[in-house]
Amino acid sequence: MPAEPVAPPAVTDDDPGGRTVRRLVAVVAVIAVLPALYLRGLNHKFLDLKIYMSAVDWWRAGHPLYDYVQPDRVQGELYFTYPPFSALLLWPFGLLRLGATVTIFTVLTVLAVALTTRWLVLPVIARHGLPRTFTLILAVLLVLAVESTRETITFGQINMLLVVLILADLLFAVPQARRWAGVGVGLATALKLFPGIFIVYLLATRRWRAAAVASATAAAATLLAAAIAPSDSWRFWTHELWTTDRVGRTDIVGNQSLFGLLSRFTAPEKPDRLLWLLVVAAVAGYGLWRAARAARAGDLLTGLTLTGLVGSLASPITWTHHIYWFVPAVVLLADAALSADRPDEVRRRRWLAGLALGITPVIVYGVVTFQDWGSAAVRTRDPVDFVVQNAYVLISLLLLATLPVRSSRRRPVEHPQPEKSRQMDGSPQ
């Protein structure tokens, strides 16, 4: 007699209907949370972008660019603090209405989030056979939920545009030895100085030509600005660059750098500069050493992520919207956890997954969005203050020490070239 057929369970791992419902629920849940996360940030009212454009209008009227000042309740006074090359690129936006400029910056930032997240996540999807469309959508939504992204959008910052230049250079142009390798890092450095740490990374990894191209590009952009605005350029490079007070108070919690951590111990006084330099030297030396080792092992994403974390820690002022580098760090942790699939790697898998799951809610909730730290000097008075006020600094230090370097044996799928990304369309849905 033929065996009696057994009815399949109502929902199984092979049930496409059940999978679709679960994925839709996950996506809708994240979408539903986003407005609540962004609501507080709307109080910023694109403040930074308004300062940029007001300073450019002031400059267009014939005034010295770095004389522009705007009163602020917390910081006292706010100025235009970027290099003159940034002011040149902002100049055309002065011809537009502010609302149009805000819209352009917001749309470009969201597109940059989608593009860079795609670059980070596609190789992980291909390596582990993850559902392509669902994973990409969920990843983009989660990156939009992270506090650094929210602050970038609601302040009207340009950070994500710099990230596009850096990732395009270091994930694609440099490893492929393109002629223009280094141009992206050089342009980003000319715009905002912080990306200069990636020129140091190129030197540490012996990418001599790319480092030279990056340096030459930054120098050429700076000289172009000097030719057009010589007095403002001279003033910036000889005076304003070295006046950190123009950027803002170093003790406020929004400054998540090592100098900010030390400042919160000594506020309202500034911390000892020698102590800070010694701490930065030790942290930067260790972090760049690990970054160079990762690059030599072929793990370029880990190398540049560690470098970004070093830059965030070493800079005197690192606002929360500067710390994009937690995003690739979480992707790397998730990838490494999924790769730890041997029976003897259960503990490692749990550790990596736990670290990723522990960091994610912290960088989504953030350190400034839902807390009013007031306008008075911020002092660290006890261990709880130390952890709460320096959450990003502590996570950055933890990641410098623990971010795994992925073995090339376990990374058979390399980062897709931007122009070849359509080849990935056959991945599982």
Side-chain angles (χ1 to χ4, degrees):
M1 292 179 60
E4 183 178 351
V6 179
V11 177
T12 69
D13 290 340
D14 297 322
D15 178 8
R19 287 202 308 272
T20 300
V21 169
R22 290 194 294 272
R23 291 169 188 171
L24 283 174
V25 168
V27 169
V28 170
V30 177
I31 292 175
V33 171
L34 281 178
L37 293 172
Y38 273 85
L39 190 60
R40 288 292 294 269
L42 293 179
N43 293 334
H44 300 324
K45 299 178 180 178
F46 305 98
L47 175 64
D48 289 357
L49 183 56
K50 289 179 180 178
I51 292 174
Y52 302 158
M53 301 319 302
S54 296
V56 168
D57 288 343
W58 164 272
W59 192 35
R60 288 164 57 90
H63 303 291
L65 176 62
Y66 296 102
D67 276 355
Y68 179 79
V69 60
Q70 177 174 310
D72 182 73
R73 178 182 68 89
V74 176
Q75 303 276 23
E77 294 179 331
L78 297 173
Y79 307 85
F80 186 87
T81 58
Y82 288 174
F85 183 63
S86 294
L88 288 182
L89 294 187
L90 289 169
W91 181 286
F93 290 98
L95 303 174
L96 303 176
R97 292 180 179 274
L98 180 62
T101 301
V102 167
T103 300
I104 291 170
F105 270 61
T106 302
V107 170
L108 288 177
T109 297
V110 173
L111 290 175
V113 167
L115 179 63
T116 53
T117 304
R118 190 172 188 271
W119 289 347
L120 297 178
V121 173
L122 274 184
V124 181
I125 291 173
R127 267 193 290 279
H128 303 291
L130 302 177
R132 176 190 170 94
T133 302
F134 166 70
T135 305
L136 279 174
I137 292 174
L138 188 61
V140 169
L141 291 174
L142 288 173
V143 175
L144 287 172
V146 170
E147 185 181 57
S148 64
T149 309
R150 302 199 309 268
E151 296 279 287
T152 292
I153 291 174
T154 56
F155 270 113
Q157 275 284 343
I158 65 171
N159 301 298
M160 283 308 304
L161 306 182
L162 302 181
V163 169
V164 169
L165 291 173
I166 293 166
L167 292 188
D169 219 356
L170 298 182
L171 290 182
F172 305 112
V174 171
Q176 295 166 16
R178 297 290 180 89
R179 265 189 238 175
W180 49 275
V183 170
V185 168
L187 286 174
T189 301
L191 286 167
K192 209 171 178 181
L193 298 185
F194 171 90
I197 189 66
F198 293 98
I199 299 179
V200 179
Y201 167 70
L202 290 171
L203 293 171
T205 56
R206 301 182 181 181
R207 300 278 190 170
W208 309 118
R209 188 181 187 282
V213 170
S215 301
T217 301
T222 300
L223 290 174
L224 173 64
I228 297 173
S231 59
D232 288 307
S233 294
W234 177 260
R235 177 173 170 180
F236 176 81
W237 293 106
T238 61
H239 182 264
E240 307 303 338
L241 174 61
W242 313 103
T243 310
T244 55
D245 289 343
R246 286 180 59 92
V247 183
R249 280 173 38 201
T250 60
D251 64 285
I252 63 176
V253 175
N255 179 20
Q256 288 290 305
S257 67
L258 290 169
F259 195 76
L261 180 149
L262 295 174
S263 295
R264 287 184 280 278
F265 277 110
T266 62
E269 303 300 323
K270 293 291 179 65
D272 182 82
R273 292 297 179 109
L274 178 59
L275 172 62
W276 170 64
L277 288 172
L278 290 173
V279 173
V280 165
V283 170
Y286 175 72
L288 288 172
W289 171 74
R290 287 209 68 216
R293 286 191 64 189
R296 285 196 296 272
D299 194 349
L300 303 180
L301 183 57
T302 296
L304 71 88
T305 301
L306 289 167
T307 303
L309 293 170
V310 167
S312 299
L313 290 167
S315 176
I317 293 185
T318 298
W319 302 128
T320 51
H321 52 259
H322 293 163
I323 315 178
Y324 165 80
W325 307 104
F326 290 150
V327 171
V330 170
V331 172
L332 288 165
L333 289 170
D335 187 22
L338 290 171
S339 298
D341 52 4
R342 295 200 308 260
D344 60 334
E345 294 181 312
V346 172
R347 182 174 297 180
R348 171 181 167 81
R349 183 187 183 103
R350 288 175 179 170
W351 158 250
L352 293 169
L355 195 56
L357 292 173
I359 289 173
T360 299
V362 176
I363 64 176
V364 169
Y365 182 81
V367 296
V368 295
T369 300
F370 298 102
Q371 299 196 57
D372 184 1
W373 295 100
S375 57
V378 179
R379 290 291 300 268
T380 296
R381 305 181 185 279
D382 55 53
V384 174
D385 280 351
F386 179 73
V387 173
V388 173
Q389 294 171 359
N390 302 291
Y392 287 177
V393 181
L394 299 176
I395 290 175
S396 297
L397 291 171
L398 176 64
L399 288 170
L400 275 192
T402 62
L403 198 63
V405 175
R406 298 166 300 167
S407 168
S408 58
R409 293 182 297 103
R410 299 191 172 196
R411 291 182 291 104
V413 179
E414 298 298 329
H415 285 278
Q417 298 180 25
E419 65 271 19
K420 294 183 180 180
S421 58
R422 292 184 181 179
Q423 297 175 1
M424 304 295 292
D425 290 342
S427 298
Q429 296 292 321

